Coordinates of all heavy atoms in Angstrom, one line a residue:
M26 N 13.4 139.0 73.4 CA 14.3 138.0 74.0 C 15.3 138.7 74.9 O 15.6 138.1 76.0 CB 14.9 137.1 73.0 CG 13.9 136.2 72.3 SD 14.6 135.1 71.1 CE 15.5 133.9 72.1
R27 N 15.7 139.9 74.5 CA 16.7 140.6 75.3 C 16.1 141.0 76.7 O 16.8 140.9 77.7 CB 17.2 141.8 74.7 CG 18.1 141.5 73.5 CD 18.7 142.8 72.9 NE 19.5 142.5 71.8 CZ 19.8 143.3 70.8 NH1 19.2 144.5 70.8 NH2 20.5 143.0 69.8
R28 N 14.8 141.4 76.6 CA 14.2 141.7 78.0 C 14.1 140.5 78.8 O 14.2 140.7 80.1 CB 12.8 142.4 77.7 CG 12.9 143.8 77.4 CD 11.6 144.5 77.3 NE 11.5 144.9 75.9 CZ 10.4 144.9 75.1 NH1 9.3 144.4 75.6 NH2 10.5 145.3 73.9
A29 N 13.7 139.4 78.3 CA 13.6 138.1 79.1 C 14.9 137.8 79.8 O 14.9 137.5 80.9 CB 13.1 137.0 78.2
K30 N 16.0 137.9 79.0 CA 17.3 137.6 79.5 C 17.7 138.6 80.6 O 18.2 138.2 81.7 CB 18.3 137.6 78.4 CG 19.7 137.2 78.8 CD 20.7 137.2 77.6 CE 22.1 136.8 78.0 NZ 23.0 136.9 76.9
A31 N 17.5 139.9 80.4 CA 17.8 140.9 81.4 C 16.9 140.7 82.6 O 17.4 140.8 83.8 CB 17.6 142.3 80.8
H32 N 15.6 140.3 82.5 CA 14.8 140.1 83.7 C 15.3 138.9 84.4 O 15.3 138.9 85.7 CB 13.3 139.9 83.2 CG 12.4 139.6 84.3 ND1 12.4 140.3 85.5 CD2 11.4 138.7 84.5 CE1 11.5 139.9 86.3 NE2 10.9 138.8 85.7
A33 N 15.7 137.8 83.8 CA 16.2 136.6 84.4 C 17.5 137.0 85.2 O 17.7 136.5 86.3 CB 16.5 135.5 83.4
R34 N 18.4 137.8 84.6 CA 19.6 138.2 85.3 C 19.3 139.0 86.5 O 19.9 138.8 87.6 CB 20.4 139.0 84.3 CG 21.8 139.4 84.9 CD 22.7 140.0 83.9 NE 22.1 140.9 82.9 CZ 22.0 140.7 81.6 NH1 22.6 139.6 81.1 NH2 21.4 141.5 80.8
A35 N 18.3 139.9 86.4 CA 18.0 140.8 87.6 C 17.2 140.0 88.7 O 17.2 140.4 89.8 CB 17.2 141.9 87.1
S36 N 16.5 138.9 88.3 CA 15.7 138.1 89.2 C 16.5 137.1 90.0 O 15.9 136.4 90.9 CB 14.5 137.5 88.5 OG 13.8 138.4 87.9
H37 N 17.8 136.9 89.6 CA 18.5 135.8 90.3 C 19.9 136.3 90.7 O 20.9 136.1 90.0 CB 18.7 134.6 89.3 CG 17.4 134.0 89.0 ND1 16.8 133.0 89.8 CD2 16.5 134.2 88.0 CE1 15.7 132.7 89.3 NE2 15.4 133.3 88.2
V38 N 19.9 137.1 91.7 CA 21.1 137.6 92.3 C 21.2 137.1 93.7 O 20.2 136.9 94.4 CB 21.1 139.2 92.3 CG1 21.1 139.7 90.9 CG2 20.0 139.8 93.0
T39 N 22.5 137.0 94.2 CA 22.7 136.5 95.5 C 22.4 137.6 96.5 O 22.7 138.8 96.2 CB 24.1 135.9 95.7 OG1 25.0 136.9 95.3 CG2 24.3 134.7 94.9
V40 N 21.8 137.2 97.6 CA 21.5 138.2 98.7 C 22.0 137.8 100.0 O 22.0 136.6 100.3 CB 19.9 138.5 98.7 CG1 19.4 139.1 97.5 CG2 19.2 137.2 99.0
G41 N 22.3 138.7 100.8 CA 22.8 138.4 102.2 C 24.2 137.9 102.2 O 25.0 138.2 101.3
Q42 N 24.6 137.3 103.3 CA 25.9 136.8 103.6 C 26.0 135.3 103.3 O 25.1 134.6 103.5 CB 26.3 137.1 105.0 CG 26.2 138.6 105.4 CD 27.5 139.3 105.1 OE1 28.6 138.7 105.1 NE2 27.5 140.6 104.8
V43 N 27.2 134.9 103.0 CA 27.5 133.4 102.9 C 27.4 132.9 104.3 O 28.0 133.5 105.3 CB 28.9 133.2 102.3 CG1 29.2 131.7 102.4 CG2 28.9 133.6 100.8
R44 N 26.7 131.8 104.5 CA 26.6 131.1 105.8 C 27.5 129.8 105.8 O 27.4 129.1 104.8 CB 25.1 130.8 106.1 CG 24.3 132.0 106.2 CD 22.8 131.6 106.5 NE 22.2 130.9 105.4 CZ 21.7 131.4 104.3 NH1 21.7 132.7 104.1 NH2 21.1 130.6 103.5
H45 N 28.2 129.6 106.8 CA 29.1 128.5 106.9 C 28.3 127.5 107.8 O 28.0 127.8 109.0 CB 30.4 128.8 107.5 CG 31.2 129.7 106.6 ND1 32.1 129.3 105.7 CD2 31.2 131.1 106.5 CE1 32.6 130.3 105.0 NE2 32.1 131.4 105.5
L46 N 28.0 126.3 107.3 CA 27.3 125.3 108.1 C 28.2 124.4 108.9 O 29.4 124.3 108.5 CB 26.5 124.4 107.1 CG 25.5 125.2 106.2 CD1 24.8 124.3 105.2 CD2 24.5 126.0 107.0
E47 N 27.7 123.7 109.8 CA 28.5 122.9 110.7 C 29.2 121.7 110.0 O 30.3 121.3 110.4 CB 27.7 122.3 111.8 CG 27.2 123.4 112.8 CD 26.4 122.8 113.9 OE1 26.3 121.6 114.0 OE2 25.8 123.6 114.7
D48 N 28.6 121.3 108.9 CA 29.2 120.1 108.1 C 30.2 120.5 107.1 O 30.7 119.8 106.3 CB 28.1 119.3 107.5 CG 27.3 120.1 106.4 OD1 27.6 121.3 106.2 OD2 26.3 119.5 105.9
G49 N 30.6 121.8 107.1 CA 31.6 122.3 106.2 C 31.1 122.9 104.9 O 31.9 123.5 104.2
R50 N 29.8 122.8 104.6 CA 29.2 123.4 103.5 C 29.0 124.9 103.7 O 29.0 125.3 104.8 CB 27.9 122.7 103.1 CG 28.1 121.3 102.6 CD 26.8 120.7 102.2 NE 25.8 120.7 103.3 CZ 24.6 121.0 103.3 NH1 24.0 121.3 102.1 NH2 23.8 121.1 104.3
V51 N 28.9 125.6 102.6 CA 28.5 127.0 102.6 C 27.3 127.2 101.8 O 27.0 126.5 100.8 CB 29.7 127.9 102.2 CG1 30.8 127.9 103.1 CG2 30.1 127.6 100.8
E52 N 26.5 128.2 102.1 CA 25.3 128.5 101.4 C 25.0 130.0 101.3 O 25.5 130.8 102.2 CB 24.1 127.7 102.0 CG 23.7 128.2 103.3 CD 22.5 127.4 103.9 OE1 22.2 126.2 103.4 OE2 21.9 127.9 104.9
I53 N 24.2 130.4 100.3 CA 23.8 131.8 100.2 C 22.4 131.8 99.5 O 22.1 130.8 98.8 CB 24.8 132.6 99.4 CG1 24.5 134.1 99.5 CG2 24.9 132.2 98.0 CD1 25.7 135.0 99.1
D54 N 21.6 132.8 99.8 CA 20.3 132.8 99.2 C 20.3 133.6 97.9 O 21.1 134.4 97.6 CB 19.4 133.6 100.2 CG 19.2 132.9 101.5 OD1 19.1 131.7 101.5 OD2 19.2 133.6 102.5
C55 N 19.4 133.1 97.0 CA 19.2 133.8 95.8 C 17.9 134.7 95.9 O 17.1 134.3 96.7 CB 18.9 132.8 94.6 SG 18.6 133.6 93.0
S56 N 17.8 135.8 95.2 CA 16.7 136.6 95.4 C 15.4 136.0 94.9 O 14.3 136.4 95.3 CB 16.9 137.9 94.5 OG 17.1 137.6 93.2
C57 N 15.4 134.8 94.2 CA 14.2 134.1 93.8 C 13.7 133.3 95.0 O 12.6 132.7 94.9 CB 14.5 133.2 92.6 SG 15.5 131.8 92.9
G58 N 14.5 133.1 96.0 CA 14.1 132.3 97.2 C 14.8 131.0 97.3 O 14.7 130.3 98.3
M59 N 15.6 130.6 96.3 CA 16.3 129.3 96.4 C 17.6 129.5 97.2 O 18.2 130.5 97.2 CB 16.7 128.8 95.0 CG 17.3 127.5 95.0 SD 17.5 126.9 93.3 CE 18.1 125.3 93.5
V60 N 17.9 128.5 98.0 CA 19.2 128.5 98.7 C 20.2 127.7 97.9 O 20.0 126.6 97.5 CB 19.0 127.8 100.1 CG1 20.3 127.8 100.9 CG2 18.0 128.5 100.9
L61 N 21.4 128.4 97.6 CA 22.4 127.8 96.8 C 23.5 127.3 97.7 O 23.9 128.1 98.7 CB 22.9 128.9 95.8 CG 21.9 129.5 95.0 CD1 22.4 130.7 94.2 CD2 21.3 128.5 94.0
T62 N 24.0 126.1 97.5 CA 25.0 125.5 98.4 C 26.1 124.9 97.6 O 26.0 124.6 96.4 CB 24.4 124.4 99.3 OG1 24.0 123.3 98.5 CG2 23.3 124.9 100.1
N63 N 27.2 124.6 98.3 CA 28.3 123.8 97.6 C 28.0 122.4 97.9 O 27.1 122.1 98.7 CB 29.7 124.3 98.0 CG 30.0 123.9 99.5 OD1 29.1 124.0 100.3 ND2 31.2 123.6 99.8
G64 N 28.7 121.5 97.3 CA 28.6 120.0 97.6 C 29.9 119.3 97.5 O 30.9 119.9 97.4
P65 N 29.8 118.0 97.6 CA 31.1 117.3 97.6 C 31.9 117.4 96.2 O 33.0 117.3 96.2 CB 30.6 115.8 97.8 CG 29.2 115.8 97.5 CD 28.7 117.2 97.7
E66 N 31.1 117.6 95.2 CA 31.8 117.7 93.8 C 31.5 119.0 93.1 O 31.9 119.1 91.9 CB 31.3 116.5 93.0 CG 31.7 115.2 93.6 CD 31.2 114.0 92.8 OE1 30.9 114.2 91.6 OE2 31.2 112.9 93.3
W67 N 31.0 120.0 93.8 CA 30.8 121.3 93.1 C 31.0 122.4 94.1 O 30.7 122.3 95.3 CB 29.5 121.4 92.5 CG 28.3 121.4 93.4 CD1 27.7 122.6 94.0 CD2 27.6 120.3 94.0 NE1 26.7 122.2 94.8 CE2 26.6 120.8 94.8 CE3 27.7 119.0 93.8 CZ2 25.7 120.0 95.5 CZ3 26.8 118.1 94.5 CH2 25.9 118.7 95.3
S68 N 31.5 123.6 93.6 CA 31.7 124.7 94.5 C 30.4 125.6 94.6 O 29.5 125.5 93.7 CB 32.8 125.6 94.0 OG 32.4 126.2 92.8
L69 N 30.3 126.5 95.5 CA 29.2 127.4 95.6 C 29.1 128.3 94.3 O 28.1 128.5 93.8 CB 29.3 128.3 96.8 CG 28.2 129.3 97.0 CD1 26.9 128.7 97.2 CD2 28.5 130.2 98.3
D70 N 30.3 128.7 93.8 CA 30.3 129.5 92.6 C 29.7 128.7 91.4 O 29.0 129.3 90.6 CB 31.8 129.9 92.3 CG 31.9 130.9 91.1 OD1 31.2 131.9 91.1 OD2 32.6 130.5 90.2
E71 N 30.1 127.4 91.3 CA 29.5 126.6 90.2 C 28.0 126.5 90.4 O 27.3 126.6 89.3 CB 30.2 125.2 90.2 CG 31.6 125.2 89.8 CD 32.3 123.9 90.0 OE1 32.0 123.2 91.0 OE2 33.1 123.6 89.1
H72 N 27.5 126.4 91.6 CA 26.0 126.3 91.7 C 25.4 127.6 91.4 O 24.3 127.6 90.7 CB 25.7 125.9 93.2 CG 24.2 125.5 93.4 ND1 23.8 125.1 94.6 CD2 23.2 125.4 92.5 CE1 22.5 124.8 94.5 NE2 22.1 125.0 93.2
I73 N 26.0 128.7 91.7 CA 25.4 130.0 91.4 C 25.4 130.2 89.8 O 24.3 130.6 89.3 CB 26.2 131.2 92.0 CG1 26.1 131.2 93.5 CG2 25.9 132.5 91.4 CD1 27.0 132.1 94.3
R74 N 26.5 129.8 89.2 CA 26.5 129.9 87.7 C 25.5 129.0 87.0 O 24.8 129.4 86.1 CB 27.9 129.6 87.2 CG 29.0 130.6 87.6 CD 30.3 130.1 87.2 NE 31.3 131.0 87.7 CZ 32.0 131.9 86.9 NH1 31.6 132.0 85.6 NH2 32.9 132.7 87.4
L75 N 25.3 127.8 87.5 CA 24.4 126.9 87.0 C 22.9 127.4 87.2 O 22.1 127.4 86.3 CB 24.5 125.5 87.6 CG 23.4 124.5 87.1 CD1 23.5 124.2 85.6 CD2 23.6 123.2 87.9
H76 N 22.6 127.9 88.4 CA 21.3 128.4 88.7 C 21.0 129.6 87.7 O 19.9 129.7 87.2 CB 21.3 128.9 90.1 CG 20.0 129.5 90.6 ND1 18.9 128.7 90.7 CD2 19.6 130.7 90.9 CE1 17.9 129.4 91.1 NE2 18.3 130.7 91.3
R77 N 21.9 130.5 87.5 CA 21.6 131.7 86.7 C 21.5 131.2 85.2 O 20.6 131.7 84.5 CB 22.8 132.7 86.8 CG 22.8 133.4 88.1 CD 23.9 134.3 88.3 NE 23.9 135.0 89.5 CZ 24.9 135.7 90.1 NH1 26.0 135.7 89.5 NH2 24.7 136.2 91.2
A78 N 22.3 130.3 84.8 CA 22.2 129.7 83.4 C 20.8 129.1 83.1 O 20.2 129.3 82.1 CB 23.3 128.8 83.1
E79 N 20.4 128.3 84.2 CA 19.0 127.7 84.0 C 17.9 128.7 83.9 O 17.0 128.6 83.2 CB 18.8 126.7 85.2 CG 19.6 125.5 85.1 CD 19.4 124.6 86.3 OE1 19.1 125.1 87.5 OE2 19.5 123.3 86.2
A80 N 18.1 129.7 84.8 CA 17.1 130.8 84.8 C 17.0 131.5 83.4 O 15.9 131.8 82.9 CB 17.3 131.8 85.9
R81 N 18.2 131.8 82.8 CA 18.2 132.5 81.5 C 17.6 131.5 80.5 O 16.8 132.0 79.6 CB 19.6 132.8 81.2 CG 20.2 134.1 81.8 CD 21.5 134.6 81.2 NE 22.5 133.5 81.1 CZ 23.4 133.2 82.0 NH1 23.4 133.8 83.2 NH2 24.2 132.2 81.8
Y82 N 18.0 130.3 80.5 CA 17.5 129.3 79.5 C 15.9 129.3 79.6 O 15.3 129.3 78.5 CB 18.1 127.9 79.7 CG 17.5 126.9 78.8 CD1 17.9 126.8 77.5 CD2 16.5 126.1 79.2 CE1 17.4 125.9 76.6 CE2 15.9 125.2 78.4 CZ 16.4 125.1 77.1 OH 15.8 124.2 76.2
L83 N 15.4 129.1 80.8 CA 13.9 129.0 80.9 C 13.3 130.3 80.4 O 12.3 130.3 79.7 CB 13.6 128.7 82.3 CG 13.9 127.3 82.8 CD1 13.6 127.1 84.3 CD2 13.1 126.3 82.0
A84 N 13.8 131.5 80.8 CA 13.3 132.8 80.4 C 13.3 132.9 78.9 O 12.3 133.4 78.3 CB 14.0 133.9 81.0
L85 N 14.4 132.6 78.2 CA 14.5 132.7 76.8 C 13.6 131.7 76.1 O 12.9 132.0 75.1 CB 15.9 132.5 76.3 CG 16.9 133.6 76.7 CD1 18.3 133.2 76.4 CD2 16.5 134.9 76.0
S86 N 13.4 130.5 76.7 CA 12.6 129.5 76.1 C 11.1 129.8 76.1 O 10.3 129.6 75.2 CB 12.7 128.1 76.8 OG 14.0 127.6 76.6
E87 N 10.7 130.6 77.2 CA 9.3 131.0 77.2 C 9.0 132.0 76.1 O 7.8 132.1 75.7 CB 9.1 131.7 78.6 CG 8.9 130.7 79.7 CD 8.7 131.4 81.1 OE1 9.1 132.5 81.2 OE2 8.0 130.8 81.9
V88 N 9.9 132.8 75.7 CA 9.6 133.9 74.7 C 10.0 133.6 73.3 O 9.8 134.4 72.4 CB 10.1 135.3 75.2 CG1 9.5 135.7 76.5 CG2 11.6 135.3 75.3
A89 N 10.8 132.5 73.1 CA 11.3 132.2 71.8 C 10.1 131.8 70.9 O 9.1 131.3 71.3 CB 12.3 131.0 71.9
P90 N 10.3 132.1 69.6 CA 9.3 131.7 68.7 C 8.9 130.2 68.7 O 9.9 129.4 68.9 CB 9.9 132.1 67.3 CG 10.9 133.1 67.6 CD 11.4 132.8 69.0
A91 N 7.7 129.8 68.5 CA 7.3 128.5 68.6 C 8.0 127.5 67.7 O 8.3 126.4 68.1 CB 5.8 128.4 68.3
G92 N 8.4 127.8 66.6 CA 9.1 126.9 65.6 C 10.6 126.8 65.9 O 11.2 126.0 65.2
M93 N 11.2 127.6 66.8 CA 12.6 127.5 66.9 C 13.0 126.2 67.6 O 12.5 125.8 68.6 CB 13.0 128.7 67.8 CG 14.5 128.8 68.0 SD 15.0 130.3 69.0 CE 14.7 131.6 67.9
P94 N 14.0 125.5 67.0 CA 14.4 124.2 67.5 C 15.0 124.4 68.9 O 15.7 125.4 69.2 CB 15.5 123.7 66.5 CG 15.2 124.5 65.3 CD 14.6 125.8 65.7
R95 N 14.8 123.4 69.8 CA 15.4 123.4 71.1 C 16.2 122.1 71.4 O 15.8 121.1 70.9 CB 14.2 123.6 72.1 CG 13.5 124.9 71.9 CD 12.8 125.3 73.1 NE 12.1 126.5 73.2 CZ 11.4 127.1 72.3 NH1 11.2 126.6 71.2 NH2 10.9 128.3 72.6
L96 N 17.2 122.2 72.2 CA 17.9 121.1 72.6 C 17.1 120.3 73.7 O 17.1 119.1 73.7 CB 19.3 121.5 73.3 CG 20.3 122.1 72.4 CD1 21.4 122.7 73.1 CD2 20.7 121.1 71.3
I97 N 16.5 121.0 74.6 CA 15.7 120.4 75.7 C 14.3 120.9 75.6 O 14.1 122.1 75.6 CB 16.3 120.7 77.0 CG1 17.8 120.2 77.1 CG2 15.6 120.0 78.2 CD1 18.6 120.8 78.2
P98 N 13.3 120.0 75.6 CA 11.9 120.5 75.6 C 11.6 121.2 76.9 O 12.0 120.7 78.0 CB 11.1 119.3 75.4 CG 12.0 118.1 75.3 CD 13.4 118.6 75.5
V99 N 10.9 122.3 76.8 CA 10.5 123.0 78.1 C 9.0 122.8 78.3 O 8.2 123.2 77.5 CB 10.8 124.5 77.9 CG1 10.4 125.3 79.1 CG2 12.3 124.7 77.7
T100 N 8.7 122.1 79.4 CA 7.4 121.9 79.8 C 7.1 122.6 81.1 O 8.0 123.1 81.8 CB 7.1 120.4 79.9 OG1 8.0 119.9 80.9 CG2 7.3 119.6 78.6
A101 N 5.8 122.7 81.4 CA 5.4 123.4 82.6 C 6.1 122.9 83.9 O 6.4 123.7 84.8 CB 3.9 123.4 82.8
D102 N 6.4 121.6 84.0 CA 7.0 121.1 85.2 C 8.5 121.5 85.3 O 9.1 121.3 86.4 CB 6.9 119.6 85.2 CG 7.6 118.9 84.2 OD1 7.7 119.4 83.0 OD2 8.1 117.8 84.4
R103 N 9.1 122.1 84.3 CA 10.5 122.6 84.4 C 10.6 124.0 84.8 O 11.7 124.5 85.0 CB 11.2 122.3 83.0 CG 11.5 120.8 82.8 CD 12.4 120.6 81.7 NE 13.6 121.5 81.8 CZ 14.8 121.1 82.3 NH1 14.9 120.0 82.9 NH2 15.8 121.9 82.3
F104 N 9.5 124.7 84.8 CA 9.6 126.1 85.2 C 9.8 126.3 86.7 O 9.3 125.5 87.5 CB 8.3 126.9 84.7 CG 8.2 127.0 83.3 CD1 7.0 126.6 82.7 CD2 9.2 127.5 82.5 CE1 6.8 126.7 81.3 CE2 9.1 127.6 81.1 CZ 7.9 127.2 80.5
P105 N 10.5 127.3 87.1 CA 10.8 127.5 88.5 C 9.4 127.8 89.3 O 8.5 128.3 88.7 CB 11.7 128.7 88.6 CG 12.0 129.1 87.3 CD 11.2 128.3 86.3
R106 N 9.4 127.4 90.5 CA 8.2 127.6 91.3 C 8.2 128.9 92.0 O 9.2 129.4 92.4 CB 8.0 126.5 92.3 CG 7.7 125.2 91.6 CD 7.6 124.1 92.6 NE 8.0 122.9 91.8 CZ 8.8 122.0 92.3 NH1 9.3 122.1 93.5 NH2 9.2 121.0 91.6

């Protein structure tokens, strides 16, 4: 499980420069290919933290023992593309 967590951390790092959009939003790319942005009720930092937390959760869920209880069921449609 430690390797899965470390791999998720290494696979989701911000890359490039923050871009300022005409509508006032800012965005930055993640190394996984997703574009992270701020919104009317969340900051760019909050989106980055949520994205990384989701990646860790999915990575750990994939390798966790089958009988381990989960808060949220992980199905194939929840895995990143």
Side-chain angles (χ1 to χ4, degrees):
M26 290 181 73
R27 286 183 184 157
R28 275 186 244 142
K30 186 176 175 182
H32 179 46
R34 184 175 35 247
S36 299
H37 295 276
V38 296
T39 55
V40 294
Q42 300 273 332
V43 171
R44 295 179 299 277
H45 297 268
L46 305 177
E47 292 179 11
D48 61 3
R50 292 181 303 137
V51 292
E52 64 182 20
I53 193 166
D54 297 321
C55 179
S56 60
C57 73
M59 186 171 183
V60 177
L61 306 171
T62 66
N63 68 326
E66 297 179 17
W67 68 90
S68 70
L69 179 59
D70 184 58
E71 288 170 328
H72 193 180
I73 292 168
R74 288 172 188 261
L75 175 63
H76 180 69
R77 289 177 179 163
E79 287 177 328
R81 281 191 311 272
Y82 176 78
L83 290 172
L85 290 171
S86 292
E87 285 181 330
V88 299
M93 185 178 283
R95 299 201 171 46
L96 293 172
I97 303 169
V99 178
T100 58
D102 64 327
R103 290 196 43 95
F104 292 127
R106 293 177 212 135

